[in-house]
Amino acid sequence: MIKKAIYFSGTVFACSMMLNGSIGLAQTISNADTQNNIEVYKGLAEVSTPEQLKAALIDSSITEISLQNDLDLKATILANAKNKTIYGNNHKINANLFQIKVTTEDSQIALKDLKIENTDNYGVFWSDQPNVVLSVENVDFENGHQFTYLPYGELQVAGKFNCVSNLEEAFQGNKLTILPDATANMSSRVGYPNPVTNGVDMVGTNPTVTIGKNASLSVQGTHHGIHNSSNLTLVNEGALEVNGFGGPAISFGSDSSAYFAQGSTSKINGSTGIVGSNTDITVKEGATFEATGSKAQGTIMSNGKIVFEEGANFKIANNNLQSLGTVFGSDGGKATIQLSSKEGLKTWARGRALLQTPDNIYAEPVKAEFSLTGTGSNAVQELISSSNEDFSANFMANQVGKIIGGSFVNDDTPWFLWPPTVQNKTATNLQGTGFKGATVIAKVDNVEIGRTTVDEKEQWTMDIPAQSSGTIIEVHQEYKGKVSLSITVHME
């Protein structure tokens, strides 16, 4: 029997190993302060207490840790070992506002099938050391200030990752990688004393956000969705959805780039969709890109190069209530914008983005380039050239509140489905107007009493069972997955 002592932060751990010939079969780590023993087999430790977790994290001979029950931390843990895989077995770590900090550079930490809650502003397995990689697979985080902080490291997501913070950013770090086939939902909620915060904050030198093939990343922030100061590289090869409820969906800062690859889908919604200084944005052939803004600026704002390649499918709108917002803008310099669409283009004037009928239809293929300086209705367009003479003669970027290209040109699905109207009513019949081809549905007490289809003239009529005076009927319409709000009909 070989004994060894582990000294860490003034605590002594006495450990023993049983040998069978030259092959280690079992190791027992005994914590001198708490007398909690850890059974270890070939580097795998089973832990049932916070003290055992601490002992396993600082012992370099243990590479795998298996949680046997839920744990409530009683103190901050400084983990100085490099490589650990923690199997949560669907148990929970309640951080109790304590930290688990990785203190060694180049560490590789993996969390699997684990629930985490009640973290502080730094989170768990955070590190200020370089090249620390924290991998999560089937991890659920909620009701904590922040999941983790890795200013010089990387968060990798495999499997499923649900991450909801209630005070700080869900994640703050240098690299965020969503591995192929993984699904990540990351969001921040309003919390005191921070009324708004970003969903994800990318920091450090040359930060990156990468979404792999067949992977998906959803980010929501009560301020920005994804925020950065400079030199961010975003690459989407999967599905990306970003919402900034109090600011831009994606704020790139300066000298950044966004690359939306072939086959990717992106839905970006905020006061501004994308804003960046000297930031290049490329939407490749076969990519689908949708963006919505609401400020009196541009939905896509950059003084870099903005390119929608031939074969890209794009829909960009600005829903500013004062009709001042535009699709494109450039603050702090001149943007170069390239638009290509063999299906032609459709555009809507400022303030009309929610209407079904476009103001201009460029039916022939469009391949165009122009420069733009300024924002919103004050933007100045120069040097426009296009294969489509109609587009060259009539397109003015500071007048456009919505533009669609690629496959969206032939897609009649409305951006926003308004409620139908009810113009005539009897005890047994309703009549009104709606979106052409939509299904109009009537309900009483959430029970359907009738449905019909809006005709080519945008009219509809519906026979219903006889309704008594005082009955309240809720009527809405549905079309290609879009569902309108309901209107209320009071029967007399």
Side-chain angles (χ1 to χ4, degrees), residues 64 161 242 263 288 382:
E64 297 179 301
F161 180 47
V242 186
T288 299
E382 298 177 306

Side-chain angles (χ1 to χ4, degrees), residues 257-261 280-284 287 305-309:
S257 65
Y259 179 88
F260 302 93
D280 293 336
I281 301 167
T282 303
V283 181
K284 298 292 288 183
K305 191 172 185 179
I306 303 171
V307 178
F308 292 85
E309 288 190 351

Side-chain angles (χ1 to χ4, degrees), residues 130-376:
N131 304 317
V132 171
V133 178
L134 175 62
S135 301
V136 295
E137 181 176 351
N138 303 327
V139 170
D140 188 87
F141 166 73
E142 199 164 358
N143 297 323
H145 292 187
Q146 186 172 84
F147 176 66
T148 195
Y149 174 58
L150 298 170
Y152 309 105
E154 178 179 5
L155 175 63
Q156 288 186 355
V157 177
K160 294 181 179 180
F161 180 47
N162 183 57
C163 180
V164 182
S165 66
N166 59 14
L167 185 64
E168 297 288 327
E169 299 86 356
F171 168 66
Q172 190 175 29
N174 184 246
K175 292 179 172 59
L176 174 62
T177 303
I178 315 302
L179 297 173
D181 302 309
T183 300
N185 296 297
M186 308 177 72
S187 62
S188 63
R189 294 188 296 218
V190 174
Y192 180 82
N194 293 343
V196 293
T197 190
N198 305 320
V200 168
D201 197 19
M202 304 306 300
V203 299
T205 304
N206 299 320
T208 62
V209 175
T210 305
I211 303 101
K213 290 184 177 180
N214 301 316
S216 67
L217 171 62
S218 175
V219 180
Q220 296 186 22
T222 51
H223 192 205
H224 302 163
I226 298 175
H227 176 265
N228 168 253
S229 297
S230 64
N231 300 109
L232 172 64
T233 298
L234 183 149
V235 177
N236 179 24
E237 296 182 327
L240 173 65
E241 183 171 352
V242 186
N243 291 282
F245 292 111
I250 305 177
S251 180
F252 276 100
S254 62
D255 301 309
S256 299
S257 65
Y259 179 88
F260 302 93
Q262 183 177 20
S264 67
T265 61
S266 303
K267 294 184 178 181
I268 299 167
N269 303 284
S271 60
T272 302
I274 294 177
V275 60
S277 174
N278 196 31
T279 292
D280 293 336
I281 301 167
T282 303
V283 181
K284 298 292 288 183
E285 173 189 4
T288 299
F289 181 91
E290 301 177 63
T292 308
S294 59
K295 291 190 73 173
Q297 299 178 342
T299 296
I300 306 298
M301 290 268 296
S302 175
N303 59 339
K305 191 172 185 179
I306 303 171
V307 178
F308 292 85
E309 288 190 351
E310 177 64 63
N313 310 302
F314 52 94
K315 180 191 295 185
I316 309 167
N318 191 303
N319 298 325
N320 180 255
L321 296 176
Q322 287 75 42
S323 303
L324 298 175
T326 56
V327 168
F328 298 114
S330 176
D331 191 11
K334 182 178 292 187
T336 299
I337 300 171
Q338 297 178 357
L339 301 172
S340 298
S341 175
K342 65 181 180 181
E343 293 87 355
L345 295 169
K346 294 180 180 179
T347 65
W348 285 251
R350 297 194 320 266
R352 294 171 55 83
L354 294 177
L355 300 182
Q356 179 184 0
T357 304
D359 293 294
N360 289 286
I361 299 176
Y362 304 101
E364 298 297 322
V366 174
K367 190 175 183 66
E369 179 175 318
F370 57 92
S371 63
L372 193 68
T373 305
T375 65

Side-chain angles (χ1 to χ4, degrees), residues 42-44 59-65 83-86:
K42 292 186 176 179
L44 172 64
D59 187 339
S60 60
S61 69
I62 296 175
T63 57
E64 297 179 301
I65 300 171
N83 301 307
K84 302 285 182 181
T85 298
I86 300 175

